[in-house]
Amino acid sequence: MAQAMTTLAVGAELALGGAAAMGIPIAIHLLTRWRRQRHVWGAMRFLLEAFRRHRYRLRLEQLLLLLVRCLIPLLLGLALWDPTLAGFGSTLGLGATDRLVCLVLDDSLSSQARPGDGPETRFDELRAKALWIVAHLGRSDRVAVWRSGRPGGAVLSPGTYDHRQAAQVLRALEPRFSRGDLAQTLKLVEAHLAEQPPAAPADRVHVVVLSDFSRGAWVSEQQPSPGSVTRIAWNHERGRLILTRPMPAVSNRAIEALRPRRHLVLLESNTASTLPVDVTLWRPLGEDAGGASALTTLELEVHGPAEGVLGALRREHRWESGQDRATLRLDIPVTVPAALGDARLVIRGRIDADALTADDSRLAVVEVRQRLRVALVDARDAEPSHDGLSARRWLELALSPTRHPGAENQIETVVVPAQALTDQSVSGFDAALVLRPDMLDAAGWAALGGLATRGGLVWIVPPRMTTSVTWGLALREALGLSWELGVEPVKPAGVDAAGEQSYWTLTSDKPAPEPVALLSADWAVLLSGVRVYQRLPLTVRNPTEEMWLSVADPRAGDGTALLACGQVGQGRVLFLSAAIDLGWSNLPAKPLFVPLLHESLRGLLGESGPAARVAGIVCGDQPLLGREWDDAQELVRRPIQGGSGGAVLLRRAEAGLTPIDPLEHPGVYDSSPRRVQTLAVNPDPAGGNTAALSEAEVAEWFAGVSGWSWLDPADARGTPVFLAALAASVNIGGVLLWVVLGLVALEAALARWFSHAKVGPRVTWMSRLKRLVREGGT
Amino acid sequence: MTMTQTPAQHYLDPQILAAIAPLELRARLIVEGLMTGMHKSPYQGFSVEFAQHRQYAPGDDIRRLDWKVFGRTDKLYLKQYQKETNLDLMILVDASGSMAFGSERGWRKFDHAASLAAALAYLALQQQDRVGLVLFADAIRTITRPSNSRGHWRAVVEQLSAEPLDPAAADRDHGFPDRKTDLARLFDQASAKLAQRSLIVVVSDLFDDPAGLERGLARLSHRRHDVILFQVLDHAELNFEFRSPAEFVGLEDEGKLQLDPAAMRGAYLQALRAHNREVERISRRFRFDHLLLDSSVSLGAPLSRFLARRAALAGGTS
């Protein structure tokens, strides 16, 4: 818009200049009348006679010459001001080629596919069509260039008359790695056309959509499907849509996803370990191919911050007939050196190259830690349990089982007094297990909230001797959770037939929560032996907060949650409604207890950790980076295996740092100047769908748009059909310029003719000088 | 006739003459220049020895018919005798406003005319012819009676020099002299003052109505006077080579005119040439001589050619 206004302003200045320049010959004319040399004259009668005879002709000559001289700057100004020129031409019906052609070029990931054996891609074909259209535009036609790869937007807008510039812009374009975003791009084009003053007639605006019309060119919710078509919206008054016909499908295989099952991994140095990953392979066409072509080889490599491969895995997958997607659960063997410390590892997956190579590899980042630090927030003196083990002791045994000298546990537990809990006392811990919430003051609750907000894990359990809960409100307010805690512990009614204490069992109808997905295979078994003898009623009101465990009590209604999980800031808070005491539940003594603690720590800390927060970034995203990136100024792209580097500047938004431009290129990006954070950017898997839409499907999608047409190849002269109708019309710009040239020649001829200079010798400076010399000599 | 320019003839150049203040000296230089450049005496142009035949006209004395010529040619010619050749030379010099024009600094058309008149007077007086002078504009302003006495030439010259034709002085008072040429009236007045047949030399730009000129010449012709018309025009008037738009102010109260001279040049020259052609036609009609003089060109060559031609026509020389 600003550019359009600038163009108009420059044009207006030129027009004003032309109008002002028109005053120059008038001023000269008036000045010559005013400043005349005076001669006394003897033969006045003949002069008067000649004047009386020719005065009307002379006056006419002067006026004619003045008119020509005024027209020259005026027409030149008009010729140089394209909008005026176009409007003038339209008014006269001469400038019939005054059109605006918006080329919307699909540069999404699928356009990188090579339909044949040669190096030419679909994008090259589409670009060639765009150049072909530009080459056949009239001189008074404007051309604008947009691209529809996400994020879609203008490349050359508003339209320019400089077709050479447009061609250069087109040649400089490279296909992107993102999905197509044509619907949004067309909305932008439509809005832009609506803002153009004055609105051009619809029959003079052509929006040419140059797309392969593969399914990857469209975001998934826009894909037409019979019966539920989200038709594209387009105001036909803004212009006419012209679509390229869909290209045939191209066989393609892709790594759709490369997901570490843990974003946070505890690895011992110099010890063989594994990195568990899930890899999803995808072939959009699901073709039935037998033999070698049904085989896809997957190679996985693990890279550290330095050069070298820390681990690798090769696996072959044989596609079944009609299969289009396969998820492989793999463990990559890896050995990390001792010097590595806490670091971020890059996992790179790669399959055999095919027609679309951009989606044949994928990257993921895993945070590797040598040790986690967990604070046990408890009274200074742990209260004894009736069976001899306190809650603190249960937790210490579960998290740090090795206590002999020289042994190192991957999870370090430190007791922090609950009475004096502050921000400072929990700083440096990854998680806090709160055993005495009843002893916390406001500062203590605020410290827990701060830890969770920063991405830490807070696990709260009620103390064993709880008779009434007085801290429930503080918990809700400090952590901003919807949980409602009962005031008193509740027990199941009566005793069973065997005279044993009644208890609740846990429901096992839901799968294991995602952070503890590693337990999912045994989840039901692990839950089956757990008995709950008493608990605090816990109700989760907010549907975004999860109930990991709940007791099976058909009469209880609300308040059946045993273990609830809620998000606070970037971290998580878990609440176990039964104390870690065998009088409340046999959970501490059951096989579920230790893996639940470990997996929830690793899983939740991994999910809320830096690596998880930047996972899943695809090309075209402009992600918001977490606090751990705060001291970064730019993202530096790491050249991997011959790839090019590059940097993207960061800007500070309200919610944190974000790249100033969408991330367009896949790769591993490190924070700079301090290389402490790393993220992976991958091609958008949705963009790699090379399955083709049929013409009927495209037509159905555009059914709501009146007057659209296919881009037909050419007429007999090779001109695009939609341009051919007006291509032979007069170019008013050229006409005006030629008129100006003609007027200049006419002015010269008239000036000479009207001056009657052919009679008599021409008085030049040289002749005057010679005369002076002659007179001086005499 | 080819003439080589002698040093004396240099003095016929108007620019040099303009630098010589006394008219007397100018006239002498002109005459000396003429004498030096010609093989035959220019006196013959006005020679008393000259006897010529003239075609008979009704009313002529038939006793003067030349019967020998009649016998040879069957045409009647009169013999002209001694008495007729003792002619009076009456020089009429135009002193109208337009004669004050001169594109060369200090050399007006009147200066050219006055030099010519003085030279002619000098020549005539050298052969004992009587010379009179008339200065005129719309009418006769001054007249000097014909005489061939000693010192008469000085009187003629003084009369020519005394003419107050100073545009600058006139402009200070009431603009340029607005005296217009009126040739018909002039010739009426001159004819009335001439008692006998005379050779009347008119030196003027002839910027008057050709019809008036024709009427006047008809009267002079009727009175048997011979007339020579010296038409003096400035080089600028003859060529009109102005290029820049200019304002032209008439010297005879014609007002002002703003125009582009280059655009008007053709039409102006057309009008001027038409006028000159008409003058030429009229003079031929009455068998009078007409000579157009450019005031920027030396008097010697055209004047000597003219006098030689007259002498040839008179049969004195070839």
Side-chain angles (χ1 to χ4, degrees):
Chain A
M1 183 64 186
Q3 197 178 348
M5 293 306 292
T6 306
T7 306
L8 284 173
V10 171
E13 284 169 8
L14 284 172
L16 284 176
M22 211 173 66
I24 294 174
I26 297 174
I28 292 173
H29 179 77
L30 293 176
L31 278 174
T32 53
R33 289 176 68 89
W34 178 45
R35 303 183 62 182
R36 288 174 186 272
Q37 203 174 354
R38 194 176 191 220
H39 300 291
V40 292
W41 190 244
M44 197 68 179
R45 52 180 290 130
F46 307 111
L47 208 51
L48 285 168
E49 180 184 337
F51 180 73
R52 275 193 290 270
R53 194 179 299 165
H54 297 287
R55 61 181 163 186
Y56 295 114
R57 179 177 64 81
L58 288 175
R59 197 165 296 165
L60 188 66
E61 286 177 357
Q62 286 182 347
L63 287 177
L64 190 61
L65 203 55
L66 182 62
L67 179 68
V68 170
R69 285 170 179 170
C70 289
L71 277 176
I72 289 172
L74 178 68
L75 294 184
L76 191 62
L78 287 175
L80 293 177
W81 187 26
D82 291 332
T84 299
L85 185 67
F88 184 63
S90 300
T91 306
L92 294 180
L94 295 175
T97 59
D98 168 33
R99 293 166 298 195
L100 172 62
V101 176
C102 295
L103 300 172
V104 181
L105 188 59
D106 176 10
D107 61 346
S108 62
L109 179 60
S110 65
S111 69
Q112 294 194 32
R114 291 191 305 275
D117 296 333
E120 193 178 48
T121 62
R122 286 175 160 182
F123 182 79
D124 294 330
E125 287 183 33
L126 296 172
R127 175 165 49 195
K129 282 184 182 173
L131 291 169
W132 170 63
I133 291 171
V134 170
H136 285 86
L137 291 177
R139 291 184 60 187
S140 64
D141 289 337
R142 286 176 296 151
V143 59
V145 179
W146 296 67
R147 55 182 181 182
S148 64
R150 178 171 167 267
V155 182
L156 182 63
S157 180
T160 177
Y161 293 97
D162 188 349
H163 300 164
R164 187 178 298 175
Q165 182 199 4
Q168 285 174 349
V169 166
L170 285 169
R171 288 193 187 97
L173 282 181
E174 291 294 336
R176 290 174 164 178
F177 296 84
S178 54
R179 68 177 70 176
D181 197 5
L182 185 59
Q184 182 61 27
T185 306
L186 286 178
K187 282 181 185 172
L188 293 174
V189 173
E190 187 179 290
H192 173 75
L193 293 174
E195 289 173 2
Q196 288 280 351
D203 62 342
R204 296 209 174 272
V205 178
H206 303 277
V207 179
V208 185
V209 179
L210 298 141
S211 173
D212 58 358
F213 285 102
S214 66
R215 294 186 183 271
W218 314 85
V219 288
S220 57
E221 62 271 20
Q222 294 168 344
Q223 287 180 5
S225 59
S228 60
V229 176
T230 305
R231 288 176 177 153
I232 195 165
W234 177 257
N235 185 348
H236 67 277
E237 292 179 358
R238 299 280 172 245
R240 290 179 177 168
L241 282 182
I242 295 155
L243 314 177
T244 52
R245 293 183 187 272
M247 292 183 178
V250 174
S251 175
N252 180 39
R253 292 173 188 177
I255 302 179
E256 187 181 39
L258 171 59
R259 280 190 298 268
R261 268 173 276 162
R262 286 275 179 269
H263 291 289
L264 174 65
V265 179
L266 295 175
L267 291 179
E268 286 186 46
S269 58
N270 297 323
T271 304
S273 306
T274 57
L275 280 180
V277 294
D278 291 340
V279 180
T280 303
L281 302 178
W282 180 44
R283 49 177 192 171
L285 300 185
E287 64 263 62
D288 294 331
S293 63
L295 204 62
T296 294
T297 303
L298 169 68
E299 292 177 355
L300 294 167
E301 290 177 351
V302 179
H303 297 263
E307 293 289 328
V309 178
L310 304 180
L313 177 68
R314 180 187 172 93
R315 180 65 58 88
E316 289 184 343
H317 173 72
R318 183 171 295 279
W319 295 92
E320 295 174 7
S321 177
Q323 185 186 13
D324 63 351
R325 192 171 269 105
T327 300
L328 309 179
R329 299 176 72 84
L330 303 169
D331 293 308
I332 310 171
V334 61
T335 303
V336 295
L340 186 67
D342 294 345
R344 281 150 189 84
L345 302 183
V346 176
I347 306 171
R348 184 169 191 262
R350 188 171 48 191
I351 59 172
D352 314 311
D354 53 22
L356 181 57
T357 56
D359 61 0
D360 292 339
S361 64
R362 203 156 187 85
L363 300 161
V365 175
V366 176
E367 185 180 6
V368 172
R369 298 280 296 274
Q370 303 280 333
R371 181 177 296 180
L372 291 179
R373 296 188 76 225
V374 176
L376 299 178
V377 181
D378 196 5
R380 284 194 177 86
D381 299 319
E383 57 173 325
S385 176
H386 69 276
D387 60 357
L389 284 178
S390 66
R392 183 200 299 179
R393 187 61 189 147
W394 278 114
L395 292 173
E396 284 175 343
L397 287 172
L399 297 174
S400 306
T402 308
R403 285 291 168 182
H404 57 84
E408 286 189 1
N409 293 298
Q410 288 185 320
I411 298 177
E412 178 189 5
T413 54
V414 178
V415 177
V416 177
Q419 296 90 333
L421 189 68
T422 61
D423 251 341
Q424 194 174 3
S425 57
V426 294
S427 68
F429 288 100
D430 296 298
L433 301 183
V434 183
L435 306 178
R436 293 302 301 271
D438 57 319
M439 298 179 73
L440 294 175
D441 56 10
W445 284 111
L448 292 177
L451 175 64
T453 303
R454 291 192 296 272
L457 171 65
V458 177
W459 190 324
I460 302 169
V461 294
R464 180 185 64 82
M465 64 296 198
T466 299
T467 53
S468 63
V469 175
T470 57
W471 39 270
L473 185 62
L475 182 151
R476 288 182 59 180
E477 289 181 349
L479 302 177
L481 295 166
S482 68
W483 300 336
E484 290 181 6
L485 276 178
V487 179
E488 294 177 346
V490 293
K491 295 180 179 178
V495 293
D496 62 8
E500 291 185 4
Q501 188 181 356
S502 295
Y503 55 84
W504 288 287
T505 57
L506 301 182
T507 58
S508 57
D509 52 344
K510 290 195 297 184
E514 182 63 29
V516 293
L518 282 178
L519 306 179
S520 57
D522 305 317
W523 186 245
V525 176
L526 289 171
L527 296 184
S528 62
V530 178
R531 295 176 178 179
V532 179
Y533 304 111
Q534 63 176 320
R535 60 182 175 86
L536 289 173
L538 174 62
T539 304
V540 177
R541 297 291 182 197
N542 192 333
T544 62
E545 294 161 1
E546 302 172 77
M547 279 198 299
W548 281 18
L549 300 175
S550 57
V551 295
D553 184 0
R555 294 171 300 171
D558 284 345
T560 59
L562 183 68
L563 182 60
C565 178
Q567 176 107 27
V568 175
Q570 295 177 348
R572 298 289 184 95
V573 176
L574 288 172
F575 186 82
L576 183 66
S577 63
I580 300 178
D581 185 88
L582 295 178
W584 285 64
S585 166
N586 66 354
L587 176 65
K590 285 295 174 181
L592 174 63
F593 186 62
V594 174
L596 181 64
L597 274 176
H598 279 263
E599 289 304 306
S600 59
L601 269 175
R602 287 171 166 86
L604 289 175
L605 287 176
E607 272 192 359
S608 58
R613 284 198 289 272
V614 293
I617 298 175
V618 293
C619 294
D621 284 350
Q622 202 167 1
L624 193 64
L625 303 175
R627 282 185 164 189
E628 58 278 7
W629 294 78
D630 273 358
D631 60 347
Q633 295 172 0
E634 61 181 358
L635 298 176
V636 177
R637 187 157 163 253
R638 194 186 298 178
I640 291 185
Q641 294 189 351
S644 60
V648 180
L649 288 175
L650 298 173
R651 65 178 171 86
R652 188 167 297 282
E654 281 186 19
L657 286 174
T658 184
I660 58 170
D661 293 315
L663 298 169
E664 289 197 11
H665 299 283
V668 176
Y669 291 78
D670 296 309
S671 61
S672 176
R674 288 181 59 222
R675 188 178 168 182
V676 292
Q677 300 296 337
T678 301
L679 60 86
V681 178
N682 286 296
D684 192 334
N689 192 341
T690 52
L693 293 176
S694 67
E695 288 188 7
E697 285 174 312
V698 175
E700 179 64 23
W701 201 43
F702 282 89
V705 180
S706 64
W708 70 270
S709 60
W710 297 113
L711 175 64
D712 292 319
D715 65 359
R717 291 179 303 171
T719 306
V721 167
F722 79 98
L723 292 175
L726 299 174
S729 302
V730 179
N731 170 22
I732 188 67
V735 168
L736 271 189
L737 285 175
W738 281 112
V739 167
V740 168
L741 282 177
L743 283 178
V744 169
L746 180 66
E747 192 275 340
L750 287 181
R752 186 165 181 80
W753 186 22
F754 293 164
S755 72
H756 306 268
K758 58 183 180 293
V759 231
R762 178 179 279 276
V763 179
T764 62
W765 286 106
M766 187 54 71
S767 65
R768 287 180 185 172
L769 186 63
K770 285 178 181 173
R771 185 174 173 182
L772 281 174
V773 170
R774 190 173 62 241
E775 287 174 356
T778 307
Chain B
M1 179 166 27
T2 304
M3 292 187 299
T4 53
Q5 201 173 44
T6 62
Q9 285 179 302
H10 285 300
Y11 295 106
L12 298 176
D13 192 321
Q15 291 183 10
I16 296 173
L17 292 175
I20 301 170
L23 180 59
E24 180 182 346
L25 183 54
R26 289 186 204 164
R28 284 180 183 278
L29 284 172
I30 292 169
V31 172
E32 290 302 321
L34 288 172
M35 299 274 296
T36 309
M38 298 181 65
H39 297 293
K40 300 291 183 181
S41 172
Y43 289 72
Q44 288 180 5
F46 307 101
S47 172
V48 293
E49 301 301 328
F50 172 65
Q52 67 173 358
H53 290 93
R54 183 169 64 78
Q55 197 163 16
Y56 172 79
D60 284 340
D61 187 355
I62 59 170
R63 290 175 300 176
R64 296 182 185 174
L65 283 172
D66 188 336
W67 297 107
K68 291 180 182 176
V69 173
F70 176 74
R72 289 199 300 270
T73 64
D74 283 343
K75 290 182 179 174
L76 292 173
Y77 284 89
L78 296 183
K79 288 181 179 176
Q80 291 184 307
Y81 294 98
Q82 187 71 28
K83 184 171 182 277
E84 291 172 305
T85 58
N86 286 334
L87 54 82
D88 288 345
L89 175 63
M90 183 58 76
I91 304 174
L92 279 62
V93 178
D94 187 354
S96 65
S98 62
M99 292 296 284
F101 177 72
S103 58
E104 298 290 338
R105 183 174 292 277
W107 191 251
R108 304 164 299 179
K109 288 193 289 184
F110 181 79
D111 297 324
H112 206 72
S115 299
L116 175 62
L120 293 176
Y122 186 84
L123 288 171
L125 287 171
Q126 286 294 314
Q127 55 192 24
Q128 303 304 314
D129 288 332
R130 298 197 308 166
V131 175
L133 175 68
V134 172
L135 290 174
F136 68 93
D138 50 346
I140 292 176
R141 293 174 55 80
T142 60
I143 184 165
T144 305
R145 297 285 176 189
S147 170
N148 56 0
S149 63
R150 293 175 65 87
H152 183 63
W153 184 69
R154 189 169 300 276
V156 168
V157 169
E158 283 177 358
Q159 190 63 53
L160 288 169
S161 304
E163 177 58 29
L165 199 68
D166 181 1
D171 193 29
R172 283 195 296 272
D173 301 331
H174 53 277
F176 292 117
D178 58 355
R179 296 171 299 194
K180 296 178 180 176
T181 309
D182 188 348
L183 294 173
R185 186 178 173 195
L186 163 73
F187 292 152
D188 276 348
Q189 292 177 345
S191 177
K193 294 183 184 300
L194 293 174
Q196 62 178 29
R197 282 186 65 205
S198 301
L199 172 61
I200 299 173
V201 173
V202 180
V203 188
S204 167
D205 54 15
L206 300 178
F207 286 169
D208 191 14
D209 183 11
L213 174 67
E214 189 168 17
R215 283 197 306 273
L217 289 181
R219 289 197 183 89
L220 292 178
S221 175
H222 183 70
R223 299 284 295 271
R224 310 286 178 93
H225 295 296
D226 191 11
V227 179
I228 299 174
L229 295 171
F230 286 105
Q231 186 179 9
V232 179
L233 294 179
D234 190 89
H235 181 77
E237 291 174 332
L238 284 168
N239 295 287
F240 203 64
E241 289 173 343
F242 301 99
R243 287 195 166 270
S244 306
E247 180 183 68
F248 291 86
V249 183
L251 286 168
E252 295 183 354
D253 201 21
E254 295 105 330
K256 300 175 182 177
L257 188 60
Q258 290 188 341
L259 46 80
D260 180 4
M264 192 57 69
R265 183 171 185 267
Y268 163 83
L269 290 179
Q270 191 180 14
L272 178 66
R273 286 166 187 163
H275 174 80
N276 289 347
R277 279 196 301 274
E278 185 65 9
V279 170
E280 182 71 24
R281 184 192 66 77
I282 293 167
S283 60
R284 280 186 182 171
R285 177 188 165 197
F286 298 107
R287 297 178 182 277
F288 296 154
D289 287 323
H290 168 242
L291 180 63
L292 178 63
L293 296 174
D294 183 343
S295 65
S296 64
V297 177
S298 164
L299 267 172
L303 187 58
S304 62
R305 274 199 302 273
F306 173 74
L307 293 177
R309 188 169 64 84
R310 272 189 74 91
L313 288 174
T317 59
S318 60

